[in-house]
Amino acid sequence: TSPESVPILQRKIIELCKKCAKPSIVATQMLASMTDRPEPTRAEISDVATSVILGADSVMLSDETASGHYPIESIKVMKRVVNYTQDHTQEPIMTSFAQVEIKPSVGLAIPKAIIGLAKEVKAVAIVAETKSGATAVNISSHRPTVPIIAVTSSDRVAQQLAIVYGTKSYVQPDDRLQATKLTNWLLRTKLFKKGDIVVTASGQQPGVIGTTDTIKVRAL
């Protein structure tokens, strides 16, 4: 692959990942100069910001933090650029390429319904029960404008969801009221406040993969 093709391929890969509900990570030597210098170049800042604008799930540092002289500074710069870009970008840029045919399914229809409902009722968050992580990933792939809070009984799944766009995960035992109990706890810890509206996604068979079938609107 020629170097000049990398930006175009990066856009296409990120868009393909969103269409297929697969997390994407951009790790293109993003702040490489900070391996030896305390400040990045303007081109590197632009590289990080562009990845955010395109809708990548995560951006990644490697040498900068593994063997560089300024690991903490690199992380602070990365965080600052990501936060600023997210705060000043309304919608991820949509790239165009050959359409990918994805067979319709209940699993793909539910996230669209959840996001549409959350927007309609002006929800402050989407709370999703998930065993494998698929429910949260599928919702995230549509890049909703509200946070996704995933609740799972698996430590491994919670860790995997850490890189997924707009998602924060919590570990709770499998329970028919898993999402409700987590929402109550988040209300008590002041993450939510009285009067907030949340949309929850759950299943009638807690702990069983692929059984998300219930969407609720809850006024706290």
Side-chain angles (χ1 to χ4, degrees):
T1 301
S2 58
E4 63 271 18
S5 68
V6 172
I8 301 302
L9 290 175
Q10 176 176 311
R11 288 176 178 232
K12 290 182 177 181
I13 291 169
I14 292 171
E15 188 63 23
L16 181 61
C17 286
K18 287 191 287 186
K19 286 182 179 292
C20 297
K22 301 294 182 183
S24 58
I25 303 173
V26 178
T28 50
Q29 297 177 301
M30 309 203 82
L31 298 176
S33 69
M34 291 193 71
T35 303
D36 301 305
R37 296 170 44 192
E39 294 290 336
T41 65
R42 287 190 292 274
E44 289 170 339
I45 293 292
S46 181
D47 189 23
V48 176
T50 298
S51 298
V52 175
I53 292 169
L54 291 175
D57 284 271
S58 299
V59 288
M60 177 178 167
L61 298 171
S62 49
D63 287 350
E64 302 93 330
T65 49
S67 59
H69 295 109
Y70 302 96
I72 303 301
E73 290 82 356
S74 297
I75 293 170
K76 287 181 177 178
V77 167
M78 179 77 87
K79 179 179 179 180
R80 197 163 64 241
V81 175
V82 169
N83 286 343
Y84 183 89
T85 306
Q86 288 180 329
D87 289 342
H88 292 81
T89 303
Q90 296 301 314
E91 296 287 345
I93 294 173
M94 303 302 289
T95 59
S96 60
F97 60 101
Q99 293 296 311
V100 178
E101 293 296 330
I102 301 176
K103 185 177 180 180
S105 67
V106 173
L108 294 177
I110 287 177
K112 291 183 180 180
I114 291 169
I115 293 168
L117 184 58
K119 184 177 181 180
E120 191 72 22
V121 300
K122 296 181 171 55
V124 298
I126 295 168
V127 180
E129 296 179 10
T130 182
K131 184 64 176 179
S132 66
T135 298
V137 172
N138 284 334
I139 295 171
S140 173
S141 70
H142 295 279
R143 300 299 188 258
T145 56
V146 297
I148 303 163
I149 297 176
V151 54
T152 178
S153 60
S154 168
D155 289 332
R156 181 177 178 81
V157 168
Q159 291 165 356
Q160 291 171 335
L161 290 175
I163 67 168
V164 174
Y165 183 98
T167 303
K168 183 175 179 58
S169 52
Y170 292 85
V171 178
Q172 298 284 342
D174 289 325
D175 190 290
R176 290 181 66 85
L177 297 175
Q178 192 180 44
T180 300
K181 289 181 178 180
L182 177 64
T183 304
N184 290 342
W185 180 77
L186 293 173
L187 178 61
R188 291 196 301 271
T189 57
K190 309 298 184 183
L191 184 61
F192 293 149
K193 62 181 184 295
K194 198 70 175 174
D196 280 347
I197 296 175
V198 298
V199 173
T200 64
S202 58
Q204 297 301 310
Q205 303 178 59
V208 179
I209 295 174
T211 58
T212 300
D213 60 5
T214 304
I215 305 171
K216 295 180 180 179
V217 176
R218 184 179 178 199
L220 303 179

PDB file of all heavy atoms in Angstrom, residues 1-13:
ATOM      1  N   THR A   1       0.837  -1.196   0.000  1.00  0.00           N
ATOM      2  CA  THR A   1       0.000   0.000   0.000  1.00  0.00           C
ATOM      3  C   THR A   1       0.876   1.251   0.000  1.00  0.00           C
ATOM      4  O   THR A   1       1.801   1.369   0.811  1.00  0.00           O
ATOM      5  CB  THR A   1      -0.907   0.018   1.235  1.00  0.00           C
ATOM      6  OG1 THR A   1      -1.720  -1.157   1.231  1.00  0.00           O
ATOM      7  CG2 THR A   1      -1.804   1.250   1.212  1.00  0.00           C
ATOM      8  N   SER A   2       0.583   2.192  -0.878  1.00  0.00           N
ATOM      9  CA  SER A   2       1.365   3.425  -0.953  1.00  0.00           C
ATOM     10  C   SER A   2       0.998   4.352   0.196  1.00  0.00           C
ATOM     11  O   SER A   2      -0.154   4.380   0.636  1.00  0.00           O
ATOM     12  CB  SER A   2       1.105   4.113  -2.293  1.00  0.00           C
ATOM     13  OG  SER A   2      -0.270   4.375  -2.444  1.00  0.00           O
ATOM     14  N   PRO A   3       1.952   5.132   0.694  1.00  0.00           N
ATOM     15  CA  PRO A   3       1.675   6.016   1.841  1.00  0.00           C
ATOM     16  C   PRO A   3       0.518   6.975   1.599  1.00  0.00           C
ATOM     17  O   PRO A   3      -0.269   7.246   2.508  1.00  0.00           O
ATOM     18  CB  PRO A   3       2.993   6.774   2.012  1.00  0.00           C
ATOM     19  CG  PRO A   3       4.027   5.870   1.425  1.00  0.00           C
ATOM     20  CD  PRO A   3       3.361   5.181   0.275  1.00  0.00           C
ATOM     21  N   GLU A   4       0.386   7.485   0.358  1.00  0.00           N
ATOM     22  CA  GLU A   4      -0.669   8.458   0.090  1.00  0.00           C
ATOM     23  C   GLU A   4      -2.072   7.863   0.145  1.00  0.00           C
ATOM     24  O   GLU A   4      -3.072   8.584   0.243  1.00  0.00           O
ATOM     25  CB  GLU A   4      -0.451   9.128  -1.283  1.00  0.00           C
ATOM     26  CG  GLU A   4      -0.511   8.195  -2.466  1.00  0.00           C
ATOM     27  CD  GLU A   4       0.836   7.575  -2.816  1.00  0.00           C
ATOM     28  OE1 GLU A   4       1.738   7.596  -1.949  1.00  0.00           O
ATOM     29  OE2 GLU A   4       0.967   7.060  -3.932  1.00  0.00           O
ATOM     30  N   SER A   5      -2.162   6.525   0.080  1.00  0.00           N
ATOM     31  CA  SER A   5      -3.484   5.880   0.130  1.00  0.00           C
ATOM     32  C   SER A   5      -3.980   5.662   1.553  1.00  0.00           C
ATOM     33  O   SER A   5      -5.160   5.366   1.756  1.00  0.00           O
ATOM     34  CB  SER A   5      -3.432   4.532  -0.597  1.00  0.00           C
ATOM     35  OG  SER A   5      -2.630   3.601   0.119  1.00  0.00           O
ATOM     36  N   VAL A   6      -3.100   5.823   2.540  1.00  0.00           N
ATOM     37  CA  VAL A   6      -3.474   5.526   3.929  1.00  0.00           C
ATOM     38  C   VAL A   6      -4.662   6.356   4.426  1.00  0.00           C
ATOM     39  O   VAL A   6      -5.608   5.808   5.001  1.00  0.00           O
ATOM     40  CB  VAL A   6      -2.259   5.692   4.868  1.00  0.00           C
ATOM     41  CG1 VAL A   6      -2.702   5.587   6.338  1.00  0.00           C
ATOM     42  CG2 VAL A   6      -1.209   4.630   4.573  1.00  0.00           C
ATOM     43  N   PRO A   7      -4.693   7.688   4.220  1.00  0.00           N
ATOM     44  CA  PRO A   7      -5.844   8.455   4.719  1.00  0.00           C
ATOM     45  C   PRO A   7      -7.178   8.011   4.121  1.00  0.00           C
ATOM     46  O   PRO A   7      -8.185   7.946   4.828  1.00  0.00           O
ATOM     47  CB  PRO A   7      -5.505   9.898   4.316  1.00  0.00           C
ATOM     48  CG  PRO A   7      -4.018   9.918   4.211  1.00  0.00           C
ATOM     49  CD  PRO A   7      -3.650   8.566   3.655  1.00  0.00           C
ATOM     50  N   ILE A   8      -7.186   7.696   2.823  1.00  0.00           N
ATOM     51  CA  ILE A   8      -8.429   7.271   2.180  1.00  0.00           C
ATOM     52  C   ILE A   8      -8.848   5.899   2.702  1.00  0.00           C
ATOM     53  O   ILE A   8     -10.022   5.663   3.015  1.00  0.00           O
ATOM     54  CB  ILE A   8      -8.256   7.226   0.651  1.00  0.00           C
ATOM     55  CG1 ILE A   8      -7.862   8.601   0.114  1.00  0.00           C
ATOM     56  CG2 ILE A   8      -9.547   6.742  -0.009  1.00  0.00           C
ATOM     57  CD1 ILE A   8      -8.841   9.699   0.436  1.00  0.00           C
ATOM     58  N   LEU A   9      -7.889   4.998   2.816  1.00  0.00           N
ATOM     59  CA  LEU A   9      -8.202   3.660   3.326  1.00  0.00           C
ATOM     60  C   LEU A   9      -8.663   3.729   4.772  1.00  0.00           C
ATOM     61  O   LEU A   9      -9.558   2.984   5.189  1.00  0.00           O
ATOM     62  CB  LEU A   9      -6.982   2.754   3.203  1.00  0.00           C
ATOM     63  CG  LEU A   9      -6.588   2.361   1.776  1.00  0.00           C
ATOM     64  CD1 LEU A   9      -5.280   1.569   1.787  1.00  0.00           C
ATOM     65  CD2 LEU A   9      -7.687   1.552   1.112  1.00  0.00           C
ATOM     66  N   GLN A  10      -8.066   4.627   5.550  1.00  0.00           N
ATOM     67  CA  GLN A  10      -8.469   4.786   6.950  1.00  0.00           C
ATOM     68  C   GLN A  10      -9.941   5.181   7.036  1.00  0.00           C
ATOM     69  O   GLN A  10     -10.706   4.627   7.829  1.00  0.00           O
ATOM     70  CB  GLN A  10      -7.602   5.857   7.619  1.00  0.00           C
ATOM     71  CG  GLN A  10      -8.003   6.172   9.053  1.00  0.00           C
ATOM     72  CD  GLN A  10      -7.064   7.164   9.703  1.00  0.00           C
ATOM     73  OE1 GLN A  10      -5.846   7.014   9.652  1.00  0.00           O
ATOM     74  NE2 GLN A  10      -7.622   8.208  10.290  1.00  0.00           N
ATOM     75  N   ARG A  11     -10.367   6.127   6.200  1.00  0.00           N
ATOM     76  CA  ARG A  11     -11.765   6.555   6.189  1.00  0.00           C
ATOM     77  C   ARG A  11     -12.687   5.392   5.820  1.00  0.00           C
ATOM     78  O   ARG A  11     -13.731   5.185   6.441  1.00  0.00           O
ATOM     79  CB  ARG A  11     -11.968   7.691   5.179  1.00  0.00           C
ATOM     80  CG  ARG A  11     -11.371   9.003   5.610  1.00  0.00           C
ATOM     81  CD  ARG A  11     -11.528  10.059   4.534  1.00  0.00           C
ATOM     82  NE  ARG A  11     -10.981  11.326   5.009  1.00  0.00           N
ATOM     83  CZ  ARG A  11     -11.636  12.479   4.993  1.00  0.00           C
ATOM     84  NH1 ARG A  11     -12.883  12.520   4.561  1.00  0.00           N
ATOM     85  NH2 ARG A  11     -11.088  13.583   5.424  1.00  0.00           N
ATOM     86  N   LYS A  12     -12.291   4.644   4.815  1.00  0.00           N
ATOM     87  CA  LYS A  12     -13.124   3.537   4.355  1.00  0.00           C
ATOM     88  C   LYS A  12     -13.229   2.439   5.412  1.00  0.00           C
ATOM     89  O   LYS A  12     -14.292   1.855   5.621  1.00  0.00           O
ATOM     90  CB  LYS A  12     -12.560   2.971   3.051  1.00  0.00           C
ATOM     91  CG  LYS A  12     -12.718   3.907   1.865  1.00  0.00           C
ATOM     92  CD  LYS A  12     -12.193   3.264   0.584  1.00  0.00           C
ATOM     93  CE  LYS A  12     -12.428   4.174  -0.617  1.00  0.00           C
ATOM     94  NZ  LYS A  12     -11.953   3.559  -1.878  1.00  0.00           N
ATOM     95  N   ILE A  13     -12.112   2.158   6.078  1.00  0.00           N
ATOM     96  CA  ILE A  13     -12.113   1.104   7.097  1.00  0.00           C
ATOM     97  C   ILE A  13     -12.987   1.496   8.285  1.00  0.00           C
ATOM     98  O   ILE A  13     -13.766   0.683   8.801  1.00  0.00           O
ATOM     99  CB  ILE A  13     -10.677   0.795   7.555  1.00  0.00           C
ATOM    100  CG1 ILE A  13      -9.903   0.107   6.425  1.00  0.00           C
ATOM    101  CG2 ILE A  13     -10.685  -0.098   8.798  1.00  0.00           C
ATOM    102  CD1 ILE A  13      -8.407   0.003   6.677  1.00  0.00           C
TER     103      ILE A  13
END
